[in-house]
Amino acid sequence: MISEASQPVHPIRTGIVGLGRSGWNIHAKTLAALPKHFRVSAVTDPESERCLEARQGLGCRIYNDFAEIINDDALDLIVIASPNHLHTDQAIQAMAAGKHVVCEKPFALSIEDADRAIAAAEAYDRVLSPFQHRRYESHFLKVQEIIESGALGRIVQVRMVWHQFTRRWDWQTLRRFGGGLLNNNGSHLMDHALQLLPPDVEPDVCADLKQVLTLGDTEDHIKIVMKAEGCPTLDVELSNAVAYPQDRWLIKGDRGGLRGTPEHLQWRTMDWDALPPRRLETAAATGREYSKDDITWTEHTWSPPADEPSAYERYYQDLYTTIRTGQPLAIQPQSVRRLIRVLERCYEQCDVMPASPTSL
Amino acid sequence: MISEASQPVHPIRTGIVGLGRSGWNIHAKTLAALPKHFRVSAVTDPESERCLEARQGLGCRIYNDFAEIINDDALDLIVIASPNHLHTDQAIQAMAAGKHVVCEKPFALSIEDADRAIAAAEAYDRVLSPFQHRRYESHFLKVQEIIESGALGRIVQVRMVWHQFTRRWDWQTLRRFGGGLLNNNGSHLMDHALQLLPPDVEPDVCADLKQVLTLGDTEDHIKIVMKAEGCPTLDVELSNAVAYPQDRWLIKGDRGGLRGTPEHLQWRTMDWDALPPRRLETAAATGREYSKDDITWTEHTWSPPADEPSAYERYYQDLYTTIRTGQPLAIQPQSVRRLIRVLERCYEQCDVMPASPTSL
């Protein structure tokens, strides 16, 4: 057996479709920082200036359109960072052309599309890797670790919020591009939430989607409550209309709780066994006081290590291993299928309310 | 017309049923502080020591049971501060005996009981006054005023929470007494929430009730989301299992927001007209940046005046006016009927989850 260290490293030759906020700022820059494992060999974007910038910065080939780039035989992998409504079809076409695929979130806008993409990956025997890289975020991994340790006891509810106060007027606010806050940041936050349920659980969903400040025609205020028997209730809120943003995390367990942000978590734990035993008392309460224990908390905090790799890097390192060694994908499209189903149900459940006059 | 000041004041002769936390600490003490308008003339409680304490402190008569006190012809008003499961029948019996009634919350445990009580008030031509005194709380009145002023713009969502971390083992944790957190503090918080909807709106309700730490058999963790077209979404949470309690209020409007507690509110407002006009842009974003306005906030704060009357006093002052002058009740039982309906629907929707082993 040849040790990994002695194996020659062949960078995966990658083509990027779309050089916008994600294609350039996230994918191109992350891949350029991993030169042993990836090489950006080609790009395409409707904006010629962006292509020239990529050629100059990365020394890559330029293609005029999607059909050209997926037919470049020298590419192993296509990164799809185009607008959302193109994701599924482009992913399928790229796999049909023999390429592995990284597909920006959401990798499908309906469960039907998700199933088409998954079937194509099987039919063409290609890697289909939805870009749910936030599963690698260290605050999220830490929260999972704390929950699984049992330190907080039985988890009753997890509240996750992503609050800001802002209006937007770009393509992500338009339905015809598959926009909307739920498809965008919602794909990440809802994916995090669903990861806190057992893999086979499909929760009951109660969704409230509203259009408040966006100039487009999609929701920019979202509240979703998900319930499943024996599981923590998930309370997820994304909104661009919150003047007083709350922290990302609030977790309620029967032995403690957690709150915090991606940059700082704090949690407190307690021990019921250290308290006096109690029994039900239906007689008149002594001193007319509420029954109450004197609880002692143990406090804990965490911040991410300064030198750790980003979630983007972790994602791409694992993807490299999968493509080169055949090791199963860390983020299976099947595991994201449940997310797509929930997003679809939220949209089915709500007519997005009309924009307020103040945003016009 | 005789001016109010010149009218002789005849205190309303009041009998109190139940001298526990509410009957004694709230009702007896408030009434004793309003001697021109009320006189505690009689009490009854299964605990004889409590009755003796009342006779000594208030100089009132003592009765052995409910049937005796309601047949005291010298009483005008009966305050029902017994356990919840007794409220409706006792209210009806007291009205049948010719008494006006103050009934602790919830005044009914089902819509059927609410309707029976309302019908009895009409049939016997008596005042039935549900003790939803928190409608007089000054933070709540202030919040209503701010919302109605339009300062926050269109209200998108109102979050109201009542968080603590505690286990209880008294009668209010038992179903057979009509206990449970929803019937107790929930009657107040849900009533506040419903007051923020137009009177005729019956919202869609999504409820999650869990038993976490209580030693009884009722819920002590509640999440309820209420939606109605064109109305703010109401997100109400009561829980005895939150290690990091949040503030009571979080309000999200399209021109501002509010947060705070009964002791301190803060809100911020902004003016969209002061910002540059925007239009949808579907071309590539300049500098790959998210569209964003530079928002200027105007900050506001409020705390309750130190010398104002309590909500209890305001409630009883208005009740005095109603009984003495026939002015309509400020808090009509019909307006609380909607609350009872919503509470009932929450209970219908949820099997309360079993207690965790840590509470046994």
Side-chain angles (χ1 to χ4, degrees), chain A residues 109-164:
Chain A
L109 296 175
S110 66
I111 200 69
E112 189 190 334
D113 276 2
D115 287 340
R116 282 201 301 129
I118 290 169
E122 284 166 17
Y124 301 119
D125 193 23
R126 295 290 87 186
V127 170
L128 169 62
S129 182
F131 194 58
Q132 302 289 156
H133 69 280
R134 285 182 185 265
R135 289 193 198 172
Y136 291 89
E137 287 184 326
S138 54
H139 72 102
F140 178 65
L141 296 170
K142 187 68 191 178
V143 164
Q144 284 182 301
E145 177 195 316
I146 294 165
I147 289 174
E148 282 161 20
S149 76
L152 306 178
R154 176 167 75 108
I155 306 299
V156 178
Q157 192 196 80
V158 177
R159 175 169 167 85
M160 297 169 62
V161 309
W162 196 326
H163 286 160
Q164 50 184 336

Side-chain angles (χ1 to χ4, degrees), chain B residues 106-139:
Chain B
F107 84 100
L109 295 176
S110 67
I111 200 69
E112 190 190 332
D113 276 1
D115 287 340
R116 281 201 301 130
I118 290 170
E122 284 166 18
Y124 301 118
D125 192 23
R126 296 290 87 186
V127 170
L128 168 62
S129 182
F131 194 58
Q132 300 291 155
H133 69 281
R134 285 183 184 264
R135 289 193 199 173
Y136 291 90
E137 287 184 326
S138 54
H139 71 102

